[in-house]
Structures are given as C-alpha cells and as structure tokens.
Amino acid sequence: GRKHESLIQQLDQPPNPSCIIEVAFILDSSESAKNFLFDKEKQFVIEFAERALQSEQTEKQDLNWKMAVLQYSSSVRMDHTFRDWQGFDLFKNRVQSMDFLGHGTYTSYAIGNATQLFQTEAELNSVKIAILVTDGVNHPRNPNLRDVAANAKEYGIFLFSVGPPRITAELSAVASTPSSQFVHSITETNLTNNILHEVLKVANQECPKPKSCTCEKGERGESGAPGRKGDRGKDGSSGAKGVQGQRGLKGELGISGEKGTAGFKGHKGVKGECGIPGTKGESGPVGPPGPSGRRGALGPPGLTGEQGFDGIQGTKGDRGLPGLHGPVGDPGIGYPGPKGEKGSQGSTGPSGSAGIGEPGLPGPRGGHGVKGDKG
C-alpha cells in the first residue's frame, strides 16, 4: 500500500511551470541623442531580442518571451506593445522602421508610460524587465525622475539603465540595485550578452519554481501502461528566410480594439513651422473716422509735377496800370508800307559851297524873243 501511494504522489506531481519574461525597451529619441546613437539603440534591441529567443532553458523551465519597444523625446510613442507580439520577424521590422523624433529629452514621461504599459498589458505572474537606453541628458523641465522610477519598481518592474560612459548619479538611481547588475554603458564590450546574462539571472530568481517532492522514495514499481501522448514541444529556432511569396489578398477589417487608458500628459511641443498663407478674408465694415493726428513737420519741397490740363478761360480782368517803357527792340522785318501823303515844303536850306569842275558845253540857241512894244 505504501509503495502504491508513493507512485500516485509521483504521478500527481505537476510538470515544471513555464516562465514568462516581458521586456520593454525605452529608447532615447531626443535631439541630443542624434541619429547615430538612435541607430545604435535600435541595433542593440534587435540583437538582444534575437539572442534572448535563442537562449536555453533556465532551471529546467521553458522561457516565453514577449517584447515591446517605445521611443521618447518631448512626447512618447509606442511602436510595438506586448499585445502586438507575434514573434521576432514582426518585432524586428517594427524596430527598423522607427523614425527619429529629435526634440527635448523627457525621460520621466517615458518611464511613466512604460509602467502603464506593464499595468495594462503584462501577464500577472510574468518577470517584468524595462531597459532604458539614453544619452543621460534631460531637459531642465523634466519632472522628478527618481519618483517615477520608484513607482515602476513598486509595481515589480526591474529597471536596467544603459547610458554614456560616465553614468550620472541620477541615471544610477533610476536603475534597480545592485548597480553592478543593472547599470551599463552604451560603449560596453559585449553589451548585448552582458545584459542578457543579467536578465536571465533575474529570471532564475523570479520565475515560478517547481514544487519539490517531499514523499519518501519507494521501491521501483512495475512497468505501467503506456502513457498518454505528450504535450507539444516548444517551437524550434527560426529557419532560414524563404523565398518571398505572392502578395496575398487584402484581409477583412479587424474588430476595433479596446480603448487604451489615458497616458501621462505630455510636455508642450516645440513651435511648428509656419503654415502656408491663408486666403485673404472679406473686407470688414468701415470703422468710424479716427481722431485727427498731430500736424507733421514740414516736408521738403516736392518735385515739379506735370503740367495740368488747360482750365476754363476766366473773365477779362481790369485794365492794368501803364507799364514802364521797355528797351528799344531790334529792327523789324516786314513789307514796305503804302506811300505817304506829300509833306509840307520844308525851309530853304543853306547855300552850298561852290562846286569844283570844268566849264560845260555851250547850250542850244534860244528862240526869237517876243516883239517889243512901239515907242
């Protein structure tokens, strides 16, 4: 009877439980991070996800990974959530297509949104990991970072900080303890393997442990009947990428998802570029005349204007006063006038001087004179 009871206890022993590890990557996409660091952050996420999915079992438990990624600047954008998780290929495509934001750095908003993501989408008994990758330069108006990080830790989230070579005290305070396990540099050699190793150490501590058998070991029993068909094995590693298939038909529209909870209030964004000029509006009503302004200073004389049109001839004015005699004019040019009337005889002029000359020729003979009176 005792031997039978021991066999029943062994058959009733539950199988080793699986362990769910949910990792949220928080990437700095601010102006100070620049495109170079942002591309390095995306490459780190892809390498970590690929190696984590290829990692072996820990403590004889199956590891089920779910991953999400969000980026932040003056606002936070969720590029892939835990509910979006459908495997490595889709996750990799989402990460590669992330666009750089390039505004101010508000890390507190990013950690707050990541905490809210775990609260709304994570499994109840999962191991919750958040990996913050940043250049460590925050905007002066960024809210208190330590308070937001403390709230995340209270919810059971293990925070890793990956920053510049010189880690600031504030960035170290964000991470879980000890710092040697949870604080790393972006320039660290074998960064991906180092952080994956530390994440698996957390999983070994936090994953559900199989119950140990406390019964006495009995004698070996007789061979039993064939057991039932075993559970389906875990998925194998991803095969080589196949040839691209033909484009499929457009699927039906999916059902509307549930409305998400309100996120943290974002900081006021930077001023956008000027828009295109609008169309001219209609003229408003004519306003009342304004008060007369003060008389301005006398301006310089204006240019002489063009001669205006001839005006209407005015009435003849009064005769003016006689003017002064003008200077004698030049002789005129004209036709001879008509012959004038004979003038009165002038006075006898003085005798002229005797002429000088030779005697003249004899004159012609005179005619007979008139007969004189008789004496």
Side-chain angles (χ1 to χ4, degrees):
R2 188 171 183 179
K3 176 180 178 181
H4 182 65
E5 290 177 1
S6 177
L7 178 61
I8 293 177
Q9 288 178 355
Q10 293 178 20
L11 293 175
D12 290 342
Q13 187 73 23
N16 292 334
S18 62
C19 182
I20 301 174
I21 306 177
E22 294 178 303
V23 182
F25 298 93
I26 308 171
L27 305 185
D28 186 347
S29 184
S30 63
E31 185 177 7
S32 59
K34 304 298 181 184
N35 276 316
F36 171 74
L37 178 59
F38 186 62
D39 290 339
K40 197 168 185 178
E41 291 172 350
K42 293 196 296 182
Q43 186 61 34
F44 161 73
V45 172
I46 293 172
E47 290 179 359
F48 181 94
E50 187 173 20
R51 295 179 188 179
L53 294 172
Q54 295 173 354
S55 61
E56 298 179 354
Q57 295 180 345
T58 174
E59 296 287 331
K60 297 182 180 180
Q61 289 179 313
D62 292 332
L63 300 181
N64 294 328
W65 298 85
K66 284 186 178 181
M67 302 191 190
V69 61
L70 57 90
Q71 60 174 310
Y72 72 95
S73 179
S74 57
S75 60
V76 180
R77 188 166 70 194
M78 300 278 186
D79 289 278
H80 189 282
T81 67
F82 293 128
R83 289 176 182 166
D84 295 332
W85 178 257
Q86 296 180 16
F88 174 70
D89 289 338
L90 175 62
F91 181 73
K92 178 181 178 181
N93 290 337
R94 289 280 181 87
V95 174
Q96 288 177 332
S97 62
M98 291 170 63
D99 293 326
F100 182 65
L101 297 178
H103 297 302
T105 311
Y106 292 84
T107 308
S108 296
Y109 295 149
I111 296 178
N113 277 263
T115 303
Q116 195 170 50
L117 176 65
F118 279 108
Q119 292 172 339
T120 56
E121 296 191 8
E123 300 288 341
L124 182 61
N125 295 322
S126 66
V127 180
K128 300 171 178 63
I129 305 290
I131 302 177
L132 169 67
V133 188
T134 177
D135 65 353
V137 180
N138 277 304
H139 193 279
R141 297 176 63 182
N142 180 60
N144 192 300
L145 189 56
R146 302 190 183 200
D147 292 346
V148 179
N151 183 48
K153 297 170 189 175
E154 288 178 3
Y155 188 69
I157 300 172
F158 291 88
L159 268 168
F160 286 80
S161 290
V162 181
R166 294 184 179 180
I167 305 296
T168 62
E170 184 179 46
L171 200 57
S172 297
V174 168
S176 301
T177 54
S179 296
S180 58
Q181 181 179 1
F182 292 95
V183 179
H184 298 265
S185 168
I186 193 68
T187 59
E188 186 176 307
T189 306
N190 296 325
L191 174 65
T192 304
N193 290 334
N194 293 343
I195 294 184
L196 178 58
H197 175 72
E198 301 299 339
V199 169
L200 291 176
K201 283 174 61 175
V202 175
N204 284 334
Q205 298 170 0
E206 300 297 323
C207 285
K209 300 294 188 296
K211 296 180 181 180
S212 59
C213 181
T214 58
C215 55
E216 297 180 4
K217 183 176 181 180
E219 298 178 4
R220 183 181 181 87
E222 300 176 357
S223 297
R228 62 181 178 84
K229 185 178 181 180
D231 296 331
R232 179 174 177 173
K234 65 176 184 178
D235 294 338
S237 58
S238 301
K241 187 174 181 181
V243 181
Q244 183 174 357
Q246 297 180 352
R247 185 180 182 89
L249 300 176
K250 184 177 181 180
E252 297 181 358
L253 187 65
I255 59 175
S256 299
E258 298 179 359
K259 183 178 180 181
T261 56
F264 286 82
K265 183 177 180 181
H267 190 266
K268 183 178 180 181
V270 297
K271 185 175 181 181
E273 298 179 357
C274 295
I276 58 175
T279 56
K280 185 176 180 180
E282 298 180 357
S283 300
V286 179
S292 298
R294 298 175 59 184
R295 183 180 184 89
L298 185 64
L303 301 175
T304 303
E306 297 180 359
Q307 182 173 350
F309 297 105
D310 293 339
I312 301 175
Q313 185 170 353
T315 57
K316 185 175 181 180
D318 297 334
R319 184 180 183 89
L321 298 174
L324 300 175
H325 289 284
V328 177
D330 296 331
I333 300 174
Y335 295 104
K339 186 176 180 179
E341 296 179 358
K342 185 176 181 177
S344 58
Q345 184 174 359
S347 59
T348 305
S351 298
S353 59
I356 300 174
E358 295 179 357
L361 296 176
R365 185 176 178 169
H368 290 280
V370 179
K371 188 178 178 176
D373 292 333
K374 188 178 178 176

